[in-house]
Amino acid sequence: MKIMSINAGSSSLKFSLFNMDNNKVLLSGLFERIGIEGSCYTLKYDEYKIKQEEDIKSHSDAVKILMDKLIELGIVNNLEEIDGIGHRIVHGGAIYKESVVVTDKVLDDIIALSDLAPLHNPAHAMCIKAFKEVLPNTPMVAVFDTAFHQTIEKDRYLYAVPYSWYEDYQVRKYGAHGTSHRYVSLKLKEELKRDDLNIICCHLGNGGSITAIKNGKCIDTSMGFTPHAGIMMGTRSGDIDVSMVPYVMEKEGKSAGEIMNDLNKKSGFLGVSGLSSDSRDIEDGVKEGNERCILAQKMYVNSVVKYIAQYYVLLGKVDVIAFTAGIGENSISTRSDIIEKLTCLGIELDAEANNTRGKFAKISAKNSSVDVYVVPTNEELMIAQDTLNLINR
Ligand code: AMP
């Protein structure tokens, strides 16, 4: 069976077409700058890569080009060969606790939840409609990034703010990266042949979040009402004292929106180092003795360790600490810096085993009190698997 996994942003559309018999990607790619001057797309299949500049006015245009290319490149003989389409949906609010088949009601809900994800949910809805136009009979599934965190108890998802904010405006913790955390949890369950694992999952990418998972269920996560909360990230500050917002607004004569932009796009690694949001540049800066990079790296590690320590206590007994996403899978020194700070808990890395990138691997020392793993994430495959499961049901 062939399933397409879709991740649409306001001006982008990322996709992977999977052969679900062997989980192999038949064609993947990205449409960029949709509706903006300079639009283009990249397609990858076998060892080939095509990059093409083309006027792409809308998500509908992108989907039509994609369908034409599937036939033209011989990836499918006809579009009916696509058995299902899974869409990554950033926000499912408190309504969606798992993936669902897209119906008119689901589409309406995704649109209604735009208040909570104004940059993402409208784009997802647009993309669902675009696929409906060209493949009206192909089942579609919505896979929500927030769904995995819906098992968090109320005393952990609520903020200590006026209760009416929650009742009237749905202000609460929702979390993000749920599809990635769920994938890692399922992968560890499968590899270690245990479904009673207590896991601290560290999704460390440009965005980052840490999740406490008990028997496959999320019991807490570091992101909050929005993905802004939690650990320090590439360009986001992570947790801050909100009182600095009106203070800096006044000092700089900025609006709340401008300050939020500073906190989301000009903070984190970028803000502290003044150099880059990319952890590779920070690592290089550390090696060269750049003081601001050294400071940024220390702050990043501190923020991750703070959440691991918190979840260590919450879980009581931890079986696995897992590292995933760009930094988690690839940064040998960041993993080492983090685990070094956990020596007091008897957690230790095996330096040789940690000398690995992008592969499933156990990296803890034999006598470590907790096993530490690198688990490459695969959100696209998780979306495709959910889609397959739901359309087969
Ligand atoms: P993601 O958001 O998961 O794509 O992760 C992006 C982050 O991963 C960026 O900060 C990259 O610098 C980081 N990253 C990717 N590859 C490496 C690498 N080989 N070493 C260190 N960091 C990496």
Side-chain angles (χ1 to χ4, degrees):
M1 290 185 93
K2 295 187 179 82
I3 303 282
M4 188 168 287
S5 170
I6 298 291
N7 183 356
S10 50
S11 63
S12 67
L13 194 164
K14 201 172 155 194
F15 73 91
S16 300
L17 179 69
F18 286 93
N19 175 352
M20 299 308 288
D21 300 334
N22 55 14
N23 290 346
K24 288 262 152 57
V25 176
L26 298 168
L27 179 73
S28 66
L30 173 68
F31 290 80
E32 292 172 272
R33 302 180 64 85
I34 297 173
I36 306 172
E37 205 181 321
S39 47
C40 63
Y41 62 84
T42 316
L43 305 176
K44 284 189 206 158
Y45 61 105
D46 300 330
E47 69 272 29
Y48 304 108
K49 185 174 171 179
I50 299 171
K51 183 157 185 175
Q52 177 76 37
E53 285 183 19
E54 194 163 325
D55 192 22
I56 310 168
K57 289 199 176 60
S58 63
H59 285 75
S60 257
D61 278 2
V63 172
K64 280 176 195 139
I65 295 171
L66 173 54
M67 295 302 121
D68 289 346
K69 288 288 160 190
L70 282 169
I71 303 278
E72 201 181 302
L73 297 170
I75 309 286
V76 295
N77 295 317
N78 61 66
L79 298 178
E80 275 75 55
E81 278 181 39
I82 303 170
D83 297 290
I85 299 163
H87 293 266
R88 173 197 179 217
I89 310 292
V90 161
H91 225 302
I95 310 171
Y96 292 102
K97 300 184 190 323
E98 55 187 27
S99 304
V100 290
V101 171
V102 175
T103 59
D104 289 346
K105 154 94 173 66
V106 172
L107 185 56
D108 288 347
D109 285 342
I110 291 170
I111 295 167
L113 286 163
S114 295
D115 234 15
L116 295 172
L119 293 180
H120 291 97
N121 274 30
H124 302 324
M126 216 151 47
C127 196
I128 289 173
K129 287 180 191 164
F131 272 98
K132 249 183 160 179
E133 274 172 35
V134 290
L135 298 173
N137 301 317
T138 308
M140 292 200 267
V141 165
V143 180
F144 301 93
D145 243 11
T146 45
F148 186 59
H149 306 304
Q150 280 296 308
T151 43
I152 299 175
E153 298 277 350
K154 197 168 188 173
D155 59 333
R156 296 201 170 272
Y157 73 63
L158 277 191
Y159 292 100
V161 295
Y163 199 75
S164 58
W165 293 13
Y166 166 62
E167 288 181 313
D168 298 342
Y169 315 122
Q170 298 82 51
V171 171
R172 50 160 285 177
K173 177 184 281 199
Y174 292 103
H177 296 142
T179 312
S180 171
H181 288 293
R182 183 158 57 97
Y183 177 85
V184 170
S185 159
L186 289 171
K187 182 77 182 167
L188 283 165
K189 173 180 161 174
E190 179 192 310
E191 291 284 338
L192 308 187
K193 298 180 180 46
R194 278 182 58 187
D195 50 16
D196 61 342
L197 289 172
N198 284 356
I199 302 167
I200 297 176
C201 180
C202 307
H203 176 110
L204 309 181
N206 187 36
S209 64
I210 304 193
T211 291
I213 302 167
K214 200 177 189 72
N215 304 332
K217 290 209 161 64
C218 173
I219 58 168
D220 207 352
T221 193
S222 61
M223 280 180 167
F225 177 57
T226 70
H228 183 261
I231 62 168
M232 179 175 147
M233 305 174 217
T235 60
R236 293 190 194 117
S237 66
D239 295 336
I240 55 158
D241 177 347
V242 291
S243 306
M244 71 176 75
V245 173
Y247 179 78
V248 181
M249 275 171 75
E250 202 178 308
K251 292 281 178 203
E252 297 203 341
K254 283 183 171 168
S255 67
E258 284 169 322
I259 296 289
M260 282 318 293
N261 191 56
D262 288 350
L263 291 171
N264 272 309
K265 306 237 170 91
K266 297 182 183 169
S267 299
F269 275 138
L270 177 63
V272 179
S273 72
L275 189 80
S276 172
S277 62
D278 193 305
S279 84
R280 285 167 288 200
D281 297 332
I282 304 299
E283 275 184 35
D284 289 345
V286 170
K287 280 185 209 137
E288 288 157 13
N290 179 314
E291 278 182 24
R292 294 264 295 275
C293 288
I294 294 171
L295 180 64
Q297 178 69 7
K298 278 188 180 165
M299 287 170 69
Y300 183 73
V301 169
N302 288 345
S303 76
V304 172
V305 168
K306 198 153 93 179
Y307 272 97
I308 295 179
Q310 195 189 124
Y311 293 160
Y312 183 91
V313 173
L314 171 63
L315 286 164
K317 174 186 151 291
V318 179
D319 299 297
V320 175
I321 294 175
F323 286 104
T324 195
I327 300 172
E329 291 168 28
N330 295 296
S331 179
I332 296 161
S333 60
T334 303
R335 290 193 304 252
S336 163
D337 289 350
I338 292 167
I339 298 299
E340 206 178 290
K341 295 225 170 207
L342 299 168
T343 316
C344 61
L345 299 174
I347 308 172
E348 257 182 73
L349 284 191
D350 174 323
E352 207 174 301
N354 186 39
N355 192 14
T356 182
R357 295 182 203 273
K359 279 199 263 284
F360 183 92
K362 183 175 170 182
I363 58 169
S364 44
K366 271 205 183 75
N367 58 346
S368 177
S369 62
V370 175
D371 290 339
V372 184
Y373 280 85
V374 172
V375 185
T377 194
N378 196 339
E379 287 157 291
E380 292 81 15
L381 180 60
M382 187 83 261
I383 291 169
Q385 280 171 346
D386 275 10
T387 305
L388 183 68
N389 290 341
L390 277 165
I391 62 176
N392 275 344
R393 219 181 255 176

